Structures are given as structure tokens and as C-alpha cells.
Amino acid sequence: MLDTASPASRLLDHADHYARWSGLAIGLVVAQALSTLGDVEFEQRVVFCITAFGLCAVAGVLLADALTLRPQAAVRTASLAPRLVRDHVPPHMGPLIALQGVSLAVLLVITAATASVDPDRIFSTGKVLTITCNGMRATTGPWPGLYYTLPMFGALAIATPTCVWALRRIAHGPGEEQQRRDRAWAVTGAWGLLVSSQQLYAVLMVSVSLTETGCAGVLGALTFWVFYPLALLNLFTVVWSLVTVVAPRAVDDDAAGDEAVGDE
């Protein structure tokens, strides 16, 4: 049977895929452009690159959701049970990413509160941590205080409520169950990519700052037992989130199982 669908129709059918991939591609371009800012120090450039890439990924997923074709015919439902957001997000990674988001906010607040304050250089406040080493005060850094992490706070303030709104819209909107799940997983992955990449860099900054001095003491042990495992966890979440944004169904075990049953 010949395919009578027009090229425009086929393009619309895959518009959500193109939007998600375009968000990642634009994020890479913007990140590369920000990495060449010569008048900005290296650590700040990395923050700008990570934040810009994460926000572009979120924007691409939200655009993809807006472009997703909705069913034209009336949809019959077999149950009057209310749809819940938690039924559409990844059952294991969703709570983990939410916990990472909370822990990132807590970490940024703690590092901002503990960063050294220099009244004479107010625009450089939050770049280092002051510690006592062998009875003498010393500074170590770069420390993820407000000087470096203010863009992270801004990105979280923008992306978090937007993604929550999108998840609620998906859960309560029209569409097939699998379509809603794919869209919700993509949104979760985009927000997870933003959160986990930011937390990974913040953790690495803390780890380097606490281990570059020979008298870190308890802080050095805390780095080994807490921050290094946390960095590995965030690295795993970054990879999972990136794959989820590109192909949500590739990491959906339930969907894969359903397709395997349907092929038999």
C-alpha cells in the first residue's frame, strides 16, 4: 500500500523529535560560544556553559511538547480515576532526580552561606572558602558561592516551575497513555539534565577546594565518603537524562516490554 501522507504531515508527526534534538544542538552551540568568553574566568565560563545547555534542553523539550500532535477524535476512557503526575514520570529515576534537585538547592545554599565575604570586593564575594590551617587562616577555592552559582539559582527558578507546569499539563491533557508517558519522561529528563549537570560541577568544585589543602581534616574525609559518590551518581544521571531527552522510550522498560509483546 502506498504511503499517501504528505511530507508536511510526516514532518509534523516527528516535530517533537526534531524540537528535542534541536534544543540539545542549540545548547551545544551556545555553550561553545560562552566557552570562548576571554574576559570571564574559567570556572564562571563552565557555569555559564552548563546552565545554558541545560536551559536549552528544557526549552527544546517544552517546544516538543507543544508541537506534539493531539488526537483529533474523541478519546474514550474506561475509568474515571484521576490522572496523577507521578503515574507518568519515571518510577525510579523521577524521585531520584527530584531528590537531587532538593539536594542541589541545599548544597548551593550551604556553599553560599559558608563562602568568604569581602566587603571591599562585593562583586567577588563567594569565590573562596576561608579555613583555619595549623592555627593560621587560609583561603581555598574556587568555592561555589554566589559568585559562581547565581546563574544556577536563576536557572532552577525558571526551569523548575515551568517543568512542573508541563508535567501537570501532560498528565491532565489529551493523548494516548504511551504518548503522555513519553512526553513526561522527556520533560523529566530535561530537568534532570539541568539539575544533575549543575550539581556535578558544584560537587567537583567543592571536592577540589577541600582536597587541595593538606589540612582539610574532617572536610577531606567528607569529600571522600560523600562528594565523590555524589559526583558519580550525578554523572550517571546526566547520561540517563541525555538519553531520555533524545529517545524517551529507549529507557522505558514498560514500553519496551509492550512493544516486544506486540511484535510476537
Side-chain angles (χ1 to χ4, degrees), residues 21-37 48-50 52-54 56-57:
W21 302 338
S22 296
L24 295 175
I26 293 173
L28 287 176
V29 172
V30 173
Q32 194 279 331
L34 292 174
S35 67
T36 61
L37 296 177
F48 288 156
C49 292
I50 291 175
F53 180 73
C56 287

Side-chain angles (χ1 to χ4, degrees), residues 89-100:
V89 299
H92 302 296
M93 291 300 296
L96 175 61
I97 292 175
L99 182 61
Q100 286 181 315

